[in-house]
Amino acid sequence: MAQTTEILSSTPDGIARAARLLADGQCVAFPTETVYGLGADARQGDAVAAIYEAKGRPSFNPLIVHVSCGEEAARYGVLPEAADAFLADGWPAGLTLVVPLRDGSGLSPLVTAGSDSVALRVPSAPLARQLLQGFGGPVAAPSANPSGRISPTTAAHVLDGLSGRIAAVLDGGATTAGLESTILGFEGGAPVVLREGVFDVPETLPRKVKGDAGQVAAPGQLASHYAPRGRVRLDAEEARPGEWHIGFGAVAGDRTLSATGDLREAAARLFALLHEADARNAGAIAVAPIPDQGLGRAINDRLRRAAAPR
Ligand code: TXA
Ligand code: MG
């Protein structure tokens, strides 16, 4: 769906417009001190699904949640004591922390790809802070590039890849760092580097980085992604006896990903329904066929992994 991508200036009007678009569930690219992120309200599942759609990402990697201050971060994640050492002088530039998701956080499960940890970041770039304050909520954002392309450090880079696919880009000029944030997780209360980035961490910290140096690793692939306990059968037009049936479109099921066959709605509901299968103690789960195009590819990727023999 082509749309006209607005180019917003870093004025109070431009920031207010960007905040309003986010509140409306639109995708807005904005600069942080690292790279431009493609933001959407982290509480609105359809808005988060639209991020994956715009990027053409064939799988659901969990997303970093951007907030305006440490207190707000603590509303969505449980910061371990070991985090204090990094946050003593406020949230440092270019640092993302992966911490346990707080119960009742209100974040869409699509943001964490159904896992019980969340990546949190308080950008230090003034424009990003102003946008987050103006919006007043959590903003999920991966780098604002089409899947497989390099991260954008100017509004022109963003438009190059995503013009016509997103509502707006907030133009703050070139980012200062030009490289992604460092991602730290915690294991047994001790910090572990999940991705090298612009924030300097001591050499002595253990690394769990995937991929070569210089290549952006995907720690989300390491985190154990959510898989339901029940056996999963795909492409099921009809349920067999004892199966709990997840429907789509014309296939009604016991519950549906989207009665109207809307892939964005289906993506937004996917992880919640997989969790519901567990809550119901479903030993066998059947899932209706999902068209393998657009967001359907990411949904099918996730379902195939859920259905893989364990
Ligand atoms: O500088 C940056 O980090 C930029 C700006 C926009 O914030 N963002 C960025 O996002 O590089 P992205 O999606 O391209 O990379 C984020 C990485 C992914 O590899 C993802 O797997 C990981 O963070 N990640 C996000 N949430 C996670 C979680 N709950 N557990 C483990 N890894 C997570
Ligand atoms: Mg990226």
Side-chain angles (χ1 to χ4, degrees):
M1 270 170 294
Q3 53 186 323
T4 307
T5 301
E6 296 178 35
I7 303 169
L8 304 173
S9 60
S10 57
T11 57
D13 279 354
I15 296 165
R17 172 79 185 146
R20 204 154 353 109
L21 287 167
L22 287 173
D24 277 352
Q26 303 286 321
C27 291
V28 177
F30 65 99
T32 73
E33 67 277 16
T34 60
V35 300
Y36 275 70
L38 181 56
D41 185 342
R43 300 159 299 193
Q44 296 186 44
D46 286 13
V48 177
I51 292 177
Y52 290 97
E53 195 172 42
K55 282 180 68 90
R57 211 175 209 184
S59 63
F60 294 124
N61 217 10
L63 304 175
I64 297 173
V65 174
H66 300 70
V67 292
S68 65
C69 63
E71 291 73 47
E72 204 191 340
R75 295 231 297 267
Y76 305 106
V78 182
L79 296 165
E81 218 167 284
D84 292 352
F86 300 96
L87 305 180
D89 298 320
W91 203 288
L95 178 65
T96 296
L97 298 181
V98 173
V99 302
L101 181 66
R102 191 175 284 287
D103 279 345
S105 69
L107 298 179
S108 160
L110 194 51
V111 169
T112 57
S115 88
D116 51 10
S117 69
V118 59
L120 294 165
R121 174 169 175 220
V122 180
S124 62
L127 187 54
R129 291 248 182 152
Q130 286 161 27
L131 174 63
L132 291 166
Q133 271 158 16
F135 173 59
V139 173
S143 50
N145 49 281
S147 182
R149 303 256 301 266
I150 53 171
S151 297
T153 55
T154 66
H157 293 165
V158 174
L159 290 168
D160 206 27
L162 297 175
S163 182
R165 305 179 64 87
I166 61 177
V169 55
L170 183 58
D171 188 353
T175 63
T176 52
L179 188 71
E180 283 90 350
S181 62
T182 300
I183 304 183
L184 285 187
F186 297 89
E187 282 182 7
V192 181
V193 181
L194 299 177
R195 179 175 75 182
E196 306 281 358
V198 297
F199 175 77
D200 258 331
V201 283
E203 292 280 320
T204 51
L205 282 191
R207 261 68 180 172
K208 266 214 170 171
V209 176
K210 208 175 147 200
D212 304 323
Q215 180 194 334
V216 179
Q221 305 294 66
L222 295 177
S224 66
H225 275 196
Y226 189 78
R229 282 191 299 272
R231 219 167 353 97
V232 179
R233 187 169 69 86
L234 305 182
D235 291 323
E237 308 257 2
E238 277 169 33
R240 294 174 186 160
E243 282 181 335
W244 191 64
H245 197 191
I246 297 180
F248 178 82
V251 178
D254 294 300
R255 298 271 274 131
T256 183
L257 286 164
S258 169
T260 58
D262 176 346
L263 287 169
R264 208 180 271 185
E265 182 182 28
R269 303 192 63 185
L270 175 66
F271 290 101
L273 282 187
L274 293 178
H275 274 286
E276 186 175 335
D278 269 357
R280 290 169 175 274
N281 271 318
I285 303 158
V287 187
I290 312 291
D292 206 37
Q293 42 183 270
L295 272 175
R297 285 160 64 221
I299 295 171
N300 283 323
D301 169 77
R302 187 63 200 76
L303 287 172
R304 272 193 296 271
R305 285 198 260 168
R310 279 168 262 151

